[in-house]
Amino acid sequence: MKALEGRVAPASAQELSEILACCDSAGEKVTIVGGDTLSGMGLPPQRADVTLLTTALNGVVRNERADCTMSALAGTPLQSIATLLATQSQFVPIDAPQARSATLGGTLAAGWLGPRRHLYGRPRDYVIGSTVVLADGTVARAGGMVVKNVAGYDMSRLYVGSFGTLGVLAQANLKTMPLPPQARMFFAPLPEHTRARACVQIAALAIAPAAALWIDGFRAAIGGDDGAEGRIAVLLEGSAPALERATRDVRSALGRAGVPDTFVVDAGARQSFERIVDAYVASLGERSITYRVLKPVQDPETSAVAVKELARHFGLRFESIADVMNGDLLLRISASDSRRLGAKLENFDDALHDLEPRAQVVACAHPHRTNLQVWGAPPDALEKMRALKARFDPNNTLNPGRFIGGI
Amino acid sequence: MTFLSDYPITWDMDCQGGGERPGVLLERLIGALGSDAVKTAPEDLAVYSFDAYTDGGSPTAVVLPASTQEVSAIVKIARDCGEPIVARGAGTGLCGGAVPIVGGITLSFARMNRILELDLRNRRARVQAGLINADLSRRVAPSGLFYAPDPSSQQISTIGGNIATNAGGPHCLSYGTTVNHVVGLEVVDDRGEVFSTHLDDTGYDLTAALVGSEGTLGVVTSAWLRLMALPETVRVCVAAFGDIDSASEAVSAIIAAGILPTALEMMDAVITATVEAAFHAGYPTDAGAVLLVEYAGLTEDADAAQAAIHAIAMRHGATSWKSARSEAERAALWAGRKGAAGATGRIAPNYYTQDVCVPRTKLPQALCAVQRAASENGVTVGNVFHAGDGNLHPLLMYDRRDRKQVAAVVDTGNAILHSAIELGGTISGEHGIGWEKRDAMTRVYSTADLATMGRVRDVFDPARMLNPEKIFPSGARCPEVTPQ
Ligand SMILES: Cc1cc2nc3c(=O)[nH]c(=O)nc-3n(C[C@H](O)[C@H](O)[C@H](O)COP(=O)(O)OP(=O)(O)OC[C@H]3O[C@@H](n4cnc5c(N)ncnc54)[C@H](O)[C@@H]3O)c2cc1C
């Protein structure tokens, strides 16, 4: 078969298989692109001879409403899946940024983790089956359309978060959930003296909020006035009576912490939550870099303040979203232009990793990106991961160098 | 489905590593662990040659390590001597997973049963693999927490065994199976080296690959587990139906209505009769089938859910409905449910549990197929299962001393597997593949699918020393030994 060049957009697993087999044997490196919403995560591939677009693999293949399962091709935009499911009062809690463009396959491959996972679980826990095409063209299925399945290894979960370096996701089967009938969003400015107490109180609520985020900055992306000291956004989801009680609880928790005002958004609560999620990867072009630190709940707002000090020391602008329920931290660092950011970026990156070894880059268009500790501290089992890559993709055809440790 | 006793076990010498003689092996094991941690007496070995599936081969030796370092030392010695390793928890597995098919070292976790760390603030616990499942919930209950996965065997089965099989349980309907609750693992690999995995780590999700791998990718020595807050309200109700069809229609309707109970379990007349005789749990004995429904959560939501489930049950012909009024009544109903399999000793000396899972709307057809298979083969069947997940557990009663009955049970089990596959289901919902169902894997997966799983095995256990002869079909044996 003649080697391919440029951009290809297969429309079926079979076509995908032919393309990969062809590239693999010709030594062509393949970059996989879905909705291009998370390409700022990690490193760009070292070499891209062929760009493989998954966008033609578009559509819901099965929708088993009564079974609470569905299956869609990997290039299907998450928004269209969400819209379909909403018409039958169901959802899949993936919380992808820019869901209109974000594809199912790309978001799963990037291992995206959203703010509601502490309540509903991780996206990987909704994947009940998969069709993946390996670099050599092997079409491999795993799992099925049942919600419990222990027949063989859990390959589907292994592909989630593998950044397309083990194989290309062609289709995923998902378990769906009943859509909570109501949603309500709270915003409250948090004066500095209230911050720590407010966050602790919210995290300890008997009715856990679906999301609780302390936001410092991001005014253009998210909106909302927060004075100089940041604001908290709390999303409640559930039945009407549950929401009523939770509302009282949130108000009194914030009141006890000394927070002066709260604003409630009912109509459009989910949309305003989605705007926050979009901000996770919102970039200011070459003059910003966004890091994310994933770690268990340990006063994320305190860690945010520490990094803010660091940014100030470097003369860089700092914005953050601290996930009060999950403990992770999003940090956007920027300067007035690309050159000024570039002058300080490497030193800042070192200092940040001294403070937060797990910090990973999730959005960065700056050319210095490749000089940074983009993935943060390497995991203990890196050698096993390298061995997996070698066994699944021995010619290093798929997204070479995209992932941690040169994978 | 195969019964071990039906198959003479022959060990293909070509597949066996070279290595030293047993004498050297034992000497080295005793040197490393002390003699009281190494068992070789025939009566000791006999205990470890079966699990809750059936009996199999005897191990060469049983070792009882007390620490991760000792597990590591054992694996290194086994490797030097060319002996396979079979990790073992409580031996409650139902697919022959912990049975040593080709001898080797059985590594028992009986001495590694401690809770190592409790991080209540972050709702996490680090526990050793041999910890008994129920001990964790008991320990954290005073802090208002619990560990959600609750296989019916939870009073004896271990966290390590639960992780290896990705165990489910009645409450997995809303809380998810074991894999949803494992945050990280400490693992001894095929070379005896220790590595760890964590969900917050960057890189491949090795935690997901290891959970459910039935001891074939590594020996789990400890795990970080997620704990959950105890719900403020728990409602337990029992609905009785004239027959199993209407009960399963009700289950499908509850799920389709978007109600998510924490448990939705079904028992047929055969089971409720034995459960009542054994436990006096409070189930009606004049019903064709009963549903045990639990809803846990906020009080407001529990009221509404209970009313909605009640209405659906009535619409589907429920003949009675009762809701437990006290903690004692709730506990009695659950004790009856979780003790159901054991109670069948009143019907026949032995039972075989089939474990298949079908799409939830296919439950009525799947149960029909079970009844048909059982009656065609003249086997008594009792159904007690996780209906809300579509996860069937027909218990086939027999007397293993009677070869005819054994054959009838084998045929019935196969017919049930077949019908589950036909209905778009799978060959195991929660018990695992182990030794029992490995040859059935080819009925749900293509050669390419299995070879892809084989690539994972190649990385973690190229020499096939970790729990050999499990999961992968028998034909796939020797060629796979060649590592890349
Ligand atoms: C009455 C009864 C009720 C049951 N109910 C349920 C149920 O509701 N849900 C359910 O899912 N199962 C159920 N089971 C099946 C069984 O209890 C589960 O599979 C359980 O997880 C096995 O745990 P164990 O400690 O007994 O493991 P074992 O039987 O000892 O081992 C099971 C498998 O795990 C491997 N293994 C054990 N420990 C380790 C380790 N540390 N590292 C690596 N591999 C290891 C073994 O090699 C084997 O392959 C039931 C069994 C019985 C007898």
Side-chain angles (χ1 to χ4, degrees), chain A residues 67 124 136 141 148-151 153 157 165 239 245 297-299 358 360 379-380 384 391 407, chain B residues 121-122 180 189 196 200 202 204-205 216 232 300-301 361 391 426 428 430 445 449 455 457-458:
Chain A
D67 286 332
R124 56 109 116 141
D136 63 8
R141 293 185 179 78
K148 273 168 87 183
N149 194 344
V150 293
Y153 300 151
R157 276 189 175 83
T165 58
S239 64
R245 199 169 116 204
V297 181
Q298 213 61 262
D299 309 321
R358 284 171 176 275
Q360 302 174 6
D380 184 50
K384 299 271 184 233
R391 188 68 188 91
I407 292 175
Chain B
R121 167 138 191 239
N122 291 311
N180 297 18
D189 75 5
S196 67
D200 291 331
T202 310
Y204 299 136
D205 188 347
T216 63
E232 71 176 27
E300 294 88 335
D301 292 344
T361 48
N391 188 186
T426 186
S428 179
E430 59 176 19
Y445 291 123
D449 302 341
R455 294 188 195 212
R457 185 93 187 264
D458 291 343

Side-chain angles (χ1 to χ4, degrees), chain B residues 16-282:
Chain B
Q16 207 165 18
E20 304 161 45
R21 285 194 309 279
V24 181
L25 171 76
L26 297 180
E27 210 171 281
R28 289 189 59 187
L29 288 173
I30 292 170
L33 283 95
S35 56
D36 71 324
V38 181
K39 311 267 180 224
T40 51
E43 62 275 20
D44 288 330
L45 299 186
V47 177
Y48 292 90
S49 21
F50 59 88
D51 63 7
Y53 170 54
T54 182
D55 58 340
S58 166
T60 314
V62 176
V63 290
L64 295 103
S67 67
T68 301
Q69 289 67 30
E70 288 189 357
V71 173
S72 159
I74 294 162
V75 174
K76 285 179 175 155
I77 294 169
R79 198 183 160 82
D80 289 349
C81 299
E83 290 282 339
I85 290 272
V86 180
R88 183 183 176 97
T92 67
L94 291 163
C95 58
V99 170
I101 302 300
V102 294
I105 297 174
T106 287
L107 207 157
S108 161
F109 276 89
R111 290 182 184 175
M112 290 178 65
N113 58 358
R114 282 184 306 129
I115 296 174
L116 300 171
E117 236 173 294
L118 277 182
D119 176 1
L120 295 176
R121 167 138 191 239
N122 291 311
R123 294 187 181 158
R124 285 171 185 199
R126 190 162 69 91
V127 311
Q128 287 181 313
L131 179 76
I132 288 174
N133 173 303
D135 285 351
L136 180 55
S137 286
R138 261 196 289 274
R139 168 76 178 276
V140 297
S143 313
L145 299 174
F146 75 112
Y147 175 64
D150 64 335
S152 299
S153 58
Q154 71 184 141
Q155 300 297 340
I156 38 174
S157 68
T158 65
I159 294 294
N162 293 171
I163 289 172
T165 55
N166 187 16
H171 288 87
C172 294
L173 174 57
S174 74
Y175 299 137
T177 57
T178 300
V179 67
N180 297 18
H181 300 270
V182 177
V183 179
L185 296 170
E186 180 191 70
V187 184
V188 172
D189 75 5
D190 63 322
R191 298 167 175 272
E193 305 298 336
V194 183
F195 70 94
S196 67
T197 72
H198 200 285
L199 283 188
D200 291 331
D201 281 349
T202 310
Y204 299 136
D205 188 347
L206 300 186
T207 313
L210 282 149
V211 176
S213 66
E214 302 190 40
T216 63
L217 298 181
V219 178
V220 174
T221 46
S222 72
W224 273 108
L225 304 175
R226 185 161 79 100
L227 303 171
M228 296 183 66
L230 283 166
E232 71 176 27
T233 297
V234 180
R235 298 278 166 75
V236 175
C237 303
V238 176
F241 293 85
D243 53 52
I244 204 158
D245 279 358
S246 40
S248 40
E249 300 280 359
V251 169
S252 299
I254 292 167
I255 298 293
I259 305 167
L260 202 58
T262 33
L264 189 44
E265 300 280 304
M266 198 193 298
M267 291 189 265
D268 68 11
V270 173
I271 297 294
T272 38
T274 38
V275 163
E276 277 311 300
F279 299 103
H280 311 293

